[in-house]
Amino acid sequence: MRARPATVGLILYLLLLLLPIYWMVNMSLRTNADILTSFQLVPTDPTFANYLKIFTDASWYSGYVNSIIYVTMNTVISLTVALPAAYAFSRYRFLGDKHLFFWLLTNRMAPPAVFLLPFFQLYQTIGLIDTHIAVALAHCLFNVPLAVWVLEGFMSGVPREIDETAYLDGYSFPRFFFTVFMPLIKTGIGVTAFFCFMFSWVELLMARTLTTTNAKPIAAVMTRTVSATGLDWGLLAAAGVLTIVPGALVIWFVRNYMAKGFALGRV
C-alpha cells in the first residue's frame, strides 16, 4: 500500500522539526573536542559528563531552580488576577470596557525593551532587584493581558443562566465562582496556564536584566559557556536539552486541555 503524498510530506516536516532537537541531544553526549574535530550522526563514545557538570555545579542547577520559581510564581499571579478580570469583561458592560480590553492587549503587543528601564529603576528603588518576585511581576505585564484575553473567550461561552440559577439557589459569589464556574472553564484555565508558563520560561531580556546573582535564570547562566577558547558546545547543548524538559512536562500534563482549548475560546 503506497503512502499518500500528504503523509510523506507530514513525516518529512516532523523530521525537520525534530532534527535540531536530535542534534542538540547528540552534541550533549559528546565532548567539546569531539564535536569540533569530527562529524557524527550518532555518538560513537557517548558521555554524560556535560550533564554531570550541570547537576554538580551550584551555579548551573540554581539557574534552573530560579527559573522554575519565578515562572511558577508568575503563572499563579497571572491566573489569580486574570480570572476575576476576565469574568468582569465577559459578564458586565461598563463605560470604556472595549477600550480597556484593547489597552490590555497593547501591553502584550509592546516589546519588553520598552518597559525594561522603568522596571529596573522602580525595582532598584524599592529593593526588588535580583529577586524572584521582581521577574514574576515584570512578566505579569505581558501574561495577564494574554490570560484575560484567552479566559474571556471561554467564559463568554458559558451561559449566563448558570450564574442566575446559582444566585437563586443561594450561592455567594466566591462559592459560585470556585465550585461551579471554574470547573466549567477548567479547559481554558489549563490552556492559559500553559501559555503563561511558556512565555515566562522563554523570556530572557527582563529576566537577565532584573537579576544579578541570587535569582539568575538558566538562560543567563548558559552564557557562562563562552570563554577565551570559544564555546563549550557540549555543555551548552546539555543545558539546552534540560531547558526543554520543563516545557515538555507542562505540555504533557495539559495536553488534554490544549486539544479542546485550541478549538474553543480565543486561542
Side-chain angles (χ1 to χ4, degrees):
M1 184 177 180
R2 294 190 304 173
R4 297 180 179 179
T7 303
V8 176
L10 180 60
I11 293 175
L12 292 176
Y13 177 69
L14 291 176
L15 290 176
L16 288 175
L17 289 180
L18 294 176
L19 181 60
I21 299 178
Y22 167 75
W23 200 252
M24 187 164 56
V25 175
N26 182 355
M27 293 175 60
S28 70
L29 298 175
R30 299 164 61 188
T31 62
N32 200 48
D34 187 23
I35 294 172
L36 296 175
T37 56
S38 64
F39 177 83
Q40 300 176 10
L41 291 176
V42 179
T44 56
D45 188 18
T47 176
F48 291 94
N50 296 318
Y51 292 97
L52 290 176
K53 183 175 181 179
I54 291 175
F55 287 114
T56 55
D57 190 334
S59 61
W60 275 100
Y61 65 74
S62 63
Y64 283 100
V65 173
N66 291 333
S67 296
I68 292 174
I69 290 175
Y70 74 69
V71 168
T72 303
M73 292 174 63
N74 171 261
T75 302
V76 173
I77 295 172
S78 297
L79 287 176
T80 302
V81 174
L83 279 168
Y87 182 84
F89 279 115
S90 67
R91 288 297 188 264
Y92 303 107
R93 293 294 176 263
F94 50 89
L95 182 63
D97 55 346
K98 294 182 179 179
H99 300 289
L100 180 59
F101 194 78
F102 178 76
W103 174 78
L104 284 173
L105 290 179
T106 58
N107 289 334
R108 186 67 188 88
M109 299 173 189
V114 174
F115 304 98
L116 188 59
L117 182 59
F119 270 125
F120 183 82
Q121 291 184 332
L122 175 64
Y123 288 163
Q124 193 173 42
T125 302
I126 61 180
L128 284 182
I129 288 293
D130 199 23
T131 60
H132 300 106
I133 190 64
V135 184
L137 291 176
H139 287 176
C140 284
L141 180 66
F142 306 99
N143 280 343
V144 169
L146 176 68
V148 172
W149 186 66
V150 175
L151 288 172
E152 192 273 340
F154 283 92
M155 292 180 178
S156 296
V158 178
R160 296 174 182 266
E161 289 76 11
I162 294 179
D163 306 42
E164 299 170 358
T165 302
Y167 296 148
L168 291 175
D169 289 341
Y171 278 70
S172 63
F173 179 77
R175 183 187 174 192
F176 157 73
F177 192 79
F178 289 107
T179 62
V180 178
F181 195 76
M182 285 184 62
L184 294 175
I185 59 167
K186 61 182 181 180
T187 299
I189 295 175
V191 172
T192 305
F194 163 74
F195 279 116
C196 289
F197 185 94
M198 293 308 300
F199 281 135
S200 184
W201 180 260
V202 302
E203 200 282 327
L204 174 61
L205 182 61
M206 283 191 170
R208 183 175 181 178
T209 305
L210 299 177
T211 58
T212 54
T213 305
N214 297 327
K216 206 71 173 174
I218 183 58
V221 178
M222 289 172 70
T223 58
R224 294 177 63 249
T225 58
V226 182
S227 63
T229 58
L231 287 172
D232 190 341
W233 295 103
L235 184 61
L236 188 61
V241 172
L242 294 177
T243 304
I244 295 176
V245 172
L249 291 176
V250 172
I251 293 175
W252 173 262
F253 284 114
V254 302
R255 66 190 187 282
N256 295 329
Y257 298 120
M258 288 179 62
K260 298 177 182 178
F262 283 120
L264 301 171
R266 296 176 181 266
V267 181

